[in-house]
Amino acid sequence: PGRVPLRPGTPLPAQPSPTYDSMKRKHEATKVLGDIAADFRCSITATLIADPVITADGHLYERAAIAEWLRTRDTSPKTGKRLDSKILTPSPTVRSATERLIDSGHLPVEEVREWQTRKAAVLIRDGRTEDAKAMLLDAKAAGDAGAGLHLGKLFLAEARSLIAEAEAAGVEDAAETLRAHWPSA
């Protein structure tokens, strides 16, 4: 639609090559997104946050890192000042913005892979194993060996669960078949 039909044998028009301006804009966008990503790094782990929470003093952290910090302290890692409360507030806005940064294609591949692996752990914790599997499979396909390890652990946990369900249902032959396929389960 909207295209003029070409006569047979008529060469297609040449595709425009990237111009200096378009390449410059892409480079600038990558730099801006990298700068924004810096604001979404946990000051404890120095990694892009997969499970963002805000402390009582308004600072942003990775949930697991700040929870571990607060297990033995009552101060802010950023300011060193005593916190009024150890309550951690989830930040869905930061989570969504971080996911958009990950999907932008403007962050280093290694950083994206590492984030995907940590995000999958969060999804598993939240009972979203199918989403976690999909994310880990993507990370593994992109070359993240750690994702493969987490996938193996996830599948082993599922095998153990299936064996327990088969035993509870009195279907011992199914449980034996599962044990034969997953001896370590």
Side-chain angles (χ1 to χ4, degrees):
R3 294 184 61 172
V4 176
L6 297 174
R7 282 182 253 119
T10 306
L12 291 172
Q15 295 296 319
S17 62
T19 64
Y20 173 77
D21 287 341
S22 68
M23 291 186 325
K24 183 178 175 186
R25 279 192 303 276
K26 183 176 179 177
H27 174 74
E28 288 169 355
T30 298
K31 183 180 178 336
V32 167
L33 289 173
D35 291 345
I36 291 169
D39 292 335
F40 297 143
R41 290 189 201 296
C42 174
S43 61
I44 298 171
T45 65
T47 60
L48 200 57
I49 298 173
D51 189 11
V53 293
I54 299 172
T55 53
D57 63 350
H59 292 290
L60 189 64
Y61 299 95
E62 181 71 54
R63 180 187 300 274
I66 191 64
E68 178 62 25
W69 174 276
L70 293 175
R71 198 172 54 75
T72 59
R73 302 170 184 90
D74 63 356
T75 58
S76 167
K78 281 196 176 180
T79 66
K81 294 180 181 175
R82 188 173 184 283
L83 293 170
D84 293 335
S85 165
K86 290 187 176 185
I87 293 175
L88 302 176
T89 305
S91 181
T93 303
V94 171
R95 183 187 66 240
S96 176
T98 304
E99 290 170 355
R100 285 196 315 272
L101 279 170
I102 289 293
D103 292 341
S104 74
H106 289 279
L107 297 179
V109 173
E110 289 300 319
E111 184 173 28
V112 170
R113 287 182 194 159
E114 188 272 336
W115 180 89
Q116 287 175 319
T117 301
R118 286 185 302 103
K119 181 65 177 183
V122 171
L123 293 171
I124 291 167
R125 182 201 69 207
D126 293 345
R128 296 175 54 198
T129 55
E130 292 306 313
D131 293 336
K133 279 186 213 173
M135 187 168 284
L136 287 169
L137 285 168
D138 287 347
K140 183 178 176 290
D144 184 355
L149 175 65
H150 288 290
L151 268 172
K153 288 179 181 179
L154 183 58
F155 288 129
L156 183 59
E158 287 183 343
R160 288 181 179 143
S161 177
L162 286 172
I163 290 169
E165 285 178 31
E167 290 172 341
V171 190
E172 191 56 39
D173 57 333
E176 285 302 317
T177 301
L178 290 166
R179 277 193 214 93
H181 284 88
W182 290 288
S184 58

